[in-house]
């Protein structure tokens, strides 16, 4: 069945890719626009993969014919809420050496905005400024300007677009007198108005619209009218629309957990696995892990599993292990085999088995936005072999921002200065089939995918990947690299999301550019962006793409920042070496000369979060306090509660020890260190203190 999938929800002007699923070699697929709003002039192009750009609000219906089948894709377009944002820098803003008087008339902008990907957009010179404008949604957006597309000599600017956040919606169901009742609980964004709810059925199911009654925020359908599978979708609509929520109704134990009527089942396909909320992730940059004089191989990592096990972590994320000419591994030359310097496929599977024996899941770094330009498919593509002509994105040579002399009159699409990793063309069914085969190759070997450059791959493809991997293993984890974070990837796509808001806030706090209370603003950004309440978020201070926190902010702020990732809601992640005091971004693991005290600090944080359910609960409440000594801006305090258990967390991002007093009594024993830290409502905090509330 090649049905293109669930209804799609977009804003006017946003391009929605439409593609038949489960593509087959040489299959034919033809699209037509069967319905559009009366005022629309939107059209669909030729080809098996099309892009619909809604030009007015309303419902669009696109039909695709494949062989003897015709399927319909519904696209609901909502009004766009955007404003023109202006970004500009001057020569003195650039972090570069030498004379800047002769800088170029154009600068490439290499940031990525929520709805506007840079890397192929030029800022034009206007007198002493380089300026670019873009229509952007509400929020604060950052632009990075560069003259050569690299991150070495750059200048930055930010612009804030005022406006409402995105509402949220959650579906629940019950059976009443043989009628299935689906209720939508809609929540306004902190800066938005109360939303209404719209329900949508799924074209893959045999549920007739005539059998359904919709009354406000409820949908009702007689049990006898339900087909074997029925998917119910809903969006909350205010000034902006929400991420859609979905329920799948099945029969005879087909899916999910039984309802009150034991012949029907209900599942929530967008929810993350329950284990993800309790997990701690440990990222290994594979080629720097074994040490200074030992080559890192799968066997070498396997011999070090006892150390990883001693940390108490639940999940290991391995940076790419496939064939690649680079140390970091993100330039893939063979998607179906392991890198020879790391070991054989059998040795990799042995490593996975060893982790599993230790009770540790393994996340595989899935790189499917691009390949290496040394991949045979790209070489055949550029050399004009007909079978590969549509495997990679093509742009006019006049739009190319690189200094590469590409063959032909066009150039490959790529982001930033990544000329060695051209973008795959997801308008090609051959590419979609190829990458689905890659997914199938590894999904039964590992427990999840961390998806590199997730923001570069179409939403429709991720939705297909999710259904594909979850059909056989609902516990399989999908982690997105979406920078900056974007709630659209939570709509039946990913389980866990990079929290770039908290990451940025902790960096600003660590350098002294923001007070410690800025972490509350970062947490508030999650509902403002429209993430569903059930979505999971990865909280981290380091990863392989960023300068080390300890190098940028120092050792004292590092402990407090790590303490935040373990005592705030979310899924904490440790980047290997963070716990050993490694200062280099992708530096070699410090085994013989690492910081053992810092390592033990991480172990105790993992144990503490495991032992106290309050630290894994969703809510955070600021606690009134007074900083008796030290800078008040370097201290933050908050409560974490689960049932009758309430803990008070105090973080100190400064040097030395701060004395902090509270209006109400708190415990005098730090649960993290077992040390006495005060009494009578006062605590002494060096970096992180966790004490019981007085009545807990």
């Amino acid at each position: 069945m090649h049905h293109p999938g669930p209804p799609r929800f977009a804003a006017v002007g946003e391009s929605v890719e439409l593609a038949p699923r489960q593509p087959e070699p040489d299959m034919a697929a033809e699209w037509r626009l069967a319905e559009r709003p009366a005022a629309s002039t939107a059209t669909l192009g030729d080809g098996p993969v099309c892009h619909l750009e809604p030009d007015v609000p309303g419902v669009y219906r696109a039909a695709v014919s494949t062989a003897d089948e015709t399927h319909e894709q519904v696209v609901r377009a909502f009004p766009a809420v955007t404003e023109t944002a202006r970004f500009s820098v001057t020569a003195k803003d650039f972090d570069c050496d030498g004379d800047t008087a002769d800088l170029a008339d154009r600068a490439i902008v290499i940031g990525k905005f929520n709805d506007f990907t840079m890397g192929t957009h030029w800022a034009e010179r206007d007198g002493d400024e380089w300026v670019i404008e873009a229509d952007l949604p509400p929020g604060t957006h950052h632009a990075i300007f560069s003259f050569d597309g690299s991150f070495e000599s750059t200048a930055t600017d930010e612009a804030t677009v005022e406006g409402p956040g995105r509402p949220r919606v959650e579906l629940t169901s019950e059976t009443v007198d043989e009628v299935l009742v689906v209720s939508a609980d809609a929540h306004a964004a902190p800066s938005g108005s109360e939303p209404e709810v719209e329900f949508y059925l799924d074209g893959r199911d045999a549920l007739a619209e005539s059998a359904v009654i919709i009354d406000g925020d409820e949908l009702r359908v007689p049990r006898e009218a339900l087909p074997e599978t029925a998917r119910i979708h809903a969006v909350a609509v205010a000034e902006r629309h929400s991420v859609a929520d979905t329920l799948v109704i099945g029969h005879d134990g087909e899916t999910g957990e039984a309802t009150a009527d034991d012949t029907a089942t209900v599942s929530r396909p967008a929810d993350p696995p329950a284990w993800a909320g309790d997990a701690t992730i440990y990222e290994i940059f594979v080629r720097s892990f074994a040490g200074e004089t030992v080559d890192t191989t799968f066997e070498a990592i396997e011999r070090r599993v006892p150390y990883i096990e001693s940390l108490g972590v639940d999940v290991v994320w391995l940076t790419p292990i496939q064939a690649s000419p680079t140390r970091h591994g993100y330039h893939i030359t063979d998607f179906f085999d392991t890198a020879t310097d790391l070991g054989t496929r059998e040795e990799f599977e042995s490593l996975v088995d060893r982790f599993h024996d230790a009770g540790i899941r393994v996340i595989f770094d899935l790189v499917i936005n691009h390949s290496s330009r040394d991949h045979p498919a790209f070489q055949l593509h550029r050399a004009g072999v007909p079978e590969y002509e549509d495997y990679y994105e093509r742009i006019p040579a006049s739009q190319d921002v690189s200094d590469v002399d590409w063959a032909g009159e066009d150039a490959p699409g790529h982001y930033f200065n990544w000329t060695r990793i051209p973008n795959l063309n997801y308008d090609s069914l051959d590419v979609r089939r190829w990458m689905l085969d890659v997914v199938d190759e590894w999904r039964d070997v590992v427990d999840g995918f961390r998806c590199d450059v997730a923001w570069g791959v179409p939403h429709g493809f991720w939705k297909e990947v999710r259904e594909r991997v979850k059909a056989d293993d609902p516990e399989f984890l999908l982690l997105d690299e979406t920078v900056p974070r974007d709630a659209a990837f939570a709509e039946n796509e990913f389980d866990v999301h990079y929290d770039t808001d908290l990451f940025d806030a902790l960096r600003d706090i660590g350098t002294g550019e923001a007070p410690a209370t800025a972490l509350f603003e970062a947490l508030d950004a999650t509902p403002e962006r429209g993430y569903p309440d059930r979505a999971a978020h990865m909280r981290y201070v380091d990863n392989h793409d960023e300068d080390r926190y300890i190098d940028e902010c120092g050792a004292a702020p590092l402990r407090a920042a790590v303490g935040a990732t373990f005592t705030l809601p979310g899924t904490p992640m440790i980047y290997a070496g963070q716990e050993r005091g490694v200062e280099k971004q992708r530096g070699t693991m410090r085994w013989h000369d690492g910081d053992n005290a810092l390592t033990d600090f991480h172990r105790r944080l993992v144990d503490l979060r495991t032992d106290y359910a309050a630290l894994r609960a969703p809510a955070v409440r600021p606690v009134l306090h007074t900083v008796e000594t030290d800078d008040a801006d370097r201290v933050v305090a908050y409560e974490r509660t689960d049932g009758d258990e309430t803990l008070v967390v105090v973080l100190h991002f400064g040097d030395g020890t701060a004395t902090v007093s509270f209006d109400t009594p708190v415990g005098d024993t730090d649960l993290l260190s077992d040390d006495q830290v005060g009494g009578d409502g006062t605590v002494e905090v060096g970096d992180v203190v966790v004490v019981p509330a007085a009545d807990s």
Side-chain angles (χ1 to χ4, degrees):
M1 180 176 174
H2 302 296
H3 194 287
R8 303 290 295 277
F9 306 98
V12 168
E14 180 182 346
S15 180
V16 180
E17 106 284 359
L18 306 172
R21 290 188 171 187
Q22 301 180 31
E24 300 170 355
D26 302 320
M27 70 176 286
E30 183 176 344
W31 285 93
R32 63 183 176 85
L33 197 55
E35 179 184 329
R36 65 188 182 191
S40 172
T41 59
T43 60
L44 291 178
D46 297 327
V49 180
C50 286
H51 294 260
L52 172 66
E53 187 170 310
D55 52 355
V56 298
V59 174
Y60 299 74
R61 298 181 189 274
V64 61
S65 298
T66 61
D68 297 328
E69 300 176 317
T70 297
H71 303 292
E72 189 176 85
Q73 173 86 74
V74 170
V75 178
R76 171 65 163 105
F78 299 93
V81 179
T82 62
E83 288 185 7
T84 300
R86 183 180 188 272
F87 302 88
S88 68
V89 295
T90 62
K92 63 183 178 60
D93 295 319
F94 280 88
D95 180 19
C96 60
D97 298 324
D99 185 10
T100 60
D102 296 327
L103 291 175
D105 287 336
R106 296 195 300 173
I108 187 67
V109 181
I110 55 177
K112 178 192 177 291
F113 304 141
N114 286 346
D115 293 333
F116 189 55
T117 301
M118 297 296 193
T120 54
H121 293 78
W122 287 100
E124 301 291 341
R125 189 166 191 163
D126 182 7
D128 293 333
E129 293 182 302
W130 286 264
V131 177
I132 191 168
E133 294 184 343
D135 290 335
L136 299 174
T140 298
H141 308 275
H142 302 268
I144 306 172
F145 294 70
S146 171
F147 289 106
D148 59 4
S150 75
F151 292 90
E152 298 301 320
S153 174
T154 62
T156 61
D157 191 24
E158 71 174 40
T160 298
V161 176
E162 300 296 337
R166 299 184 68 176
R168 292 162 291 140
V169 66
E170 181 176 313
L171 294 178
T172 57
S173 69
E174 61 177 338
T175 300
V176 180
D177 296 330
E178 294 303 313
V179 174
L180 178 74
V181 180
V182 177
S183 300
D185 186 12
H187 300 276
S191 62
S193 58
E194 288 299 319
E196 297 181 348
V197 174
E198 294 184 9
F199 287 96
Y200 291 86
L201 306 183
D202 197 300
R204 293 169 290 178
D205 307 329
L207 178 57
E209 292 186 7
S210 59
V212 173
I213 298 174
I214 297 175
D215 183 10
D217 58 3
E218 284 191 351
L219 178 149
R220 300 183 185 89
V221 56
R223 285 298 316 272
E224 62 184 15
L226 287 171
E228 181 177 334
T229 300
R231 302 167 180 89
I232 309 296
H233 309 275
V235 288
V237 185
E239 297 92 344
R240 301 169 71 186
H241 68 282
S242 73
V243 169
D245 195 22
T246 302
L247 289 185
V248 178
I249 317 299
H251 284 283
D252 301 321
E254 288 288 328
T255 56
E257 181 180 351
T259 62
D261 184 335
D262 60 7
T263 63
T265 58
V266 179
S267 65
R268 299 184 48 81
D271 286 358
W275 63 264
D278 295 335
T280 297
I281 300 173
Y282 187 75
E283 180 195 358
I284 295 177
F285 187 82
V286 293
R287 287 179 174 84
S288 67
F289 190 66
E292 294 178 352
T293 60
V294 179
D295 291 335
T296 298
T297 62
F298 299 134
E299 185 181 6
I301 298 173
E302 186 169 341
R303 292 200 299 266
R304 289 157 179 80
V305 170
Y307 167 75
I308 301 168
E309 189 177 7
S310 80
L311 296 174
V313 302
D314 310 281
V315 183
V316 161
W317 152 25
L318 300 169
T319 55
I321 56 85
Q322 294 152 297
S324 172
T326 59
R327 179 173 177 266
H328 54 69
Y330 287 95
H331 295 194
I332 307 295
T333 55
D334 186 345
F335 288 99
F336 297 96
D337 202 1
T338 57
T340 55
D341 64 310
L342 296 176
T344 65
R345 171 71 172 262
E346 291 73 22
E347 289 169 333
F348 175 66
E349 293 188 13
S350 174
L351 171 61
V352 173
D353 289 341
R354 178 64 182 87
F355 275 123
H356 286 169
D357 290 343
I360 298 171
R361 290 179 165 93
V362 177
I363 292 181
F364 178 96
D365 212 320
L366 184 72
V367 184
I368 61 171
N369 172 77
H370 53 263
S371 78
S372 168
R373 77 182 190 201
D374 295 324
H375 195 290
F378 182 72
Q379 295 172 342
L380 297 171
H381 164 81
R382 294 308 296 177
V385 177
E387 292 88 342
Y388 292 88
E389 64 180 354
D390 67 345
Y391 267 50
Y392 291 84
E393 291 181 0
R394 294 178 183 269
I395 61 173
S398 60
Q399 295 180 15
D400 182 37
V401 299
S402 74
D403 58 0
V404 178
D405 185 13
W406 301 104
E409 296 181 357
D410 59 18
H414 61 83
Y415 296 120
F416 317 132
N417 64 330
W418 298 347
T419 57
R420 299 201 66 87
I421 46 174
N423 293 336
L424 292 164
N425 175 25
Y426 278 87
D427 284 359
S428 164
L429 288 184
D430 289 334
V431 167
R432 296 172 91 100
R433 176 71 266 167
W434 181 22
M435 292 300 108
L436 288 173
D437 289 344
V438 174
V439 168
D440 289 344
E441 180 73 21
W442 300 103
R443 63 174 177 158
D444 293 332
V445 179
V446 294
D447 307 289
F449 293 145
R450 177 267 184 185
C451 298
D452 184 61
V453 194
W455 49 267
V457 176
H459 287 289
F461 189 77
W462 285 132
K463 294 178 194 297
E464 182 173 5
V465 168
R466 183 180 186 83
E467 289 194 13
R468 195 177 190 89
V469 299
K470 297 284 189 175
D472 297 328
D473 183 7
E475 298 296 294
F476 197 90
L477 189 80
L478 292 171
L479 164 64
D480 70 355
E481 185 205 18
T482 303
V483 180
R485 63 203 301 224
D486 183 349
F489 291 88
E491 187 177 289
N492 288 305
E493 297 178 30
F494 290 92
D495 297 306
V496 183
H497 313 276
Y498 272 48
D499 184 354
T500 56
D501 290 307
L502 184 64
F503 174 86
D504 290 340
L506 290 175
R507 287 288 168 121
D508 289 343
I509 295 168
T511 58
E513 296 176 41
T517 52
L519 63 80
F520 296 133
E521 298 172 19
L523 294 178
D524 289 343
T526 298
E528 182 72 8
R529 290 183 183 272
Y531 278 97
D533 290 342
R534 294 172 180 261
H537 305 275
M538 187 175 76
R539 318 292 196 189
Y540 60 102
V541 300
D542 276 343
N543 67 45
H544 66 277
D545 283 327
E546 305 288 349
D547 292 336
R548 291 278 189 175
Y549 193 99
I550 195 171
D551 184 48
E552 190 169 294
C553 305
L558 171 65
R559 286 180 169 242
V562 174
T565 66
F566 276 89
T567 59
L568 293 171
T571 302
M573 188 273 281
I574 302 169
Y575 174 38
Q578 166 187 315
E579 81 285 10
R580 299 293 293 162
V582 174
E583 295 182 345
K584 190 176 179 181
Q585 181 189 76
R586 298 173 181 174
T588 302
M589 186 70 165
R590 293 176 58 185
W591 291 107
H592 67 279
D593 62 344
D595 187 337
N596 280 356
L598 184 61
T599 307
D600 183 60
F601 173 76
H602 280 74
R603 287 191 179 105
R604 287 185 282 113
L605 280 171
V606 174
D607 289 343
L608 186 72
R609 186 172 176 274
T610 300
D611 292 343
Y612 291 92
L615 297 179
R616 305 190 301 275
V620 177
R621 190 175 73 87
V623 174
L624 293 175
H625 63 277
T626 301
V627 180
E628 307 289 351
T629 62
D630 205 13
D631 183 355
D633 281 347
R634 308 299 284 161
V635 175
V636 64
Y638 46 88
E639 279 188 352
R640 306 284 279 115
T641 299
D642 180 74
D644 295 331
E645 178 182 275
T646 299
L647 306 180
V648 175
V649 179
V650 189
L651 305 178
H652 175 218
F653 288 83
D655 294 321
T657 300
T659 302
V660 182
S661 62
F662 300 91
D663 293 342
T664 58
V666 296
D668 57 6
T669 301
D670 177 20
L671 301 177
L672 180 61
S673 64
D674 286 331
D675 292 338
Q676 295 294 115
V677 293
D680 299 325
T682 299
V683 300
E684 303 289 326
V685 53
D687 37 55
V688 181
V689 163
V690 181
V691 294
D695 55 354
S696 180

